Amino acid sequence: MAVLVGTLGLTGQAHAASKTPCASLKLKFNPAFCGVKSVKYVGEVQGKSAIAEVQGRGPMTLTLTAMETVSNTKSATITVTADAVSGAVGFDVTKSRTKSMSGSWNVPKGKFGTLKAYPLYQRYTFKVYSKLTGGYVGQGTADKAIGYRYQHSAK
């Protein structure tokens, strides 16, 4: 496994509740009235989709070398600003960087091998609260991209 460290960009999804205590008297909903707290590091997680792949019939060595951009992710059950999440989790969820990766694996004789690279993240969970009432209004996750995880297979 190769790990490349860096602060990377933001993608994600968020949904606003129709009635939320993160609202002002004049606005139905305003994410500026939402805050983030109760941040917990829950461990490393692998991305769901491979970002690079090589294949070949053995005996041979598969080598995967590429420049890839992997983004941090943020998702929540309610809209919350990137600044609020960044401040709470301790990394900037709006930056993006491209990193190089390289990995290799020896395919056994007579087998067809595959070597795949997946993004690797440090996952944090958090709770969203109303700055007006102090009450809980939602939750979310922030994933900090830290490198790549390689997986190989042979048939």
Side-chain angles (χ1 to χ4, degrees):
M1 176 177 87
V3 176
L4 301 173
V5 178
T7 304
L8 306 164
L10 165 77
T11 63
Q13 55 192 347
H15 305 285
S18 59
K19 292 183 180 180
T20 174
C22 289
S24 70
L25 296 174
K26 294 180 181 179
L27 300 172
K28 246 186 171 179
F29 177 79
N30 185 341
F33 290 110
C34 288
V36 176
K37 62 182 177 181
S38 301
V39 175
K40 287 184 182 179
Y41 173 71
V42 295
E44 291 182 355
V45 295
Q46 176 180 303
K48 293 180 182 178
S49 300
I51 57 173
E53 179 177 338
V54 292
Q55 298 181 338
R57 183 157 307 280
M60 74 175 298
T61 299
L62 293 177
T63 301
L64 179 59
T65 303
M67 293 288 290
E68 293 290 335
T69 300
V70 182
S71 298
N72 293 337
T73 64
K74 169 188 81 81
S75 65
T77 57
I78 190 165
T79 301
V80 62
T81 66
D83 285 345
V85 175
S86 293
V89 299
F91 59 92
D92 187 345
V93 297
T94 62
K95 284 192 175 182
S96 178
R97 289 193 184 159
T98 301
K99 292 288 189 179
S100 63
M101 69 170 134
S102 182
S104 61
W105 176 63
N106 293 322
V107 180
K109 182 179 179 180
K111 299 286 185 177
F112 185 80
T114 301
L115 178 63
K116 295 180 181 183
Y118 293 84
L120 182 63
Y121 302 97
Q122 290 177 334
R123 174 160 290 167
Y124 297 83
T125 60
F126 57 86
K127 293 185 179 178
V128 182
Y129 68 97
S130 168
K131 290 182 179 178
L132 300 174
T133 68
Y136 170 87
V137 295
Q139 62 190 9
T141 60
D143 293 343
K144 181 179 182 181
I146 59 168
Y148 308 99
R149 179 172 286 166
Y150 295 93
Q151 289 187 347
H152 61 82
S153 62
K155 296 179 185 179

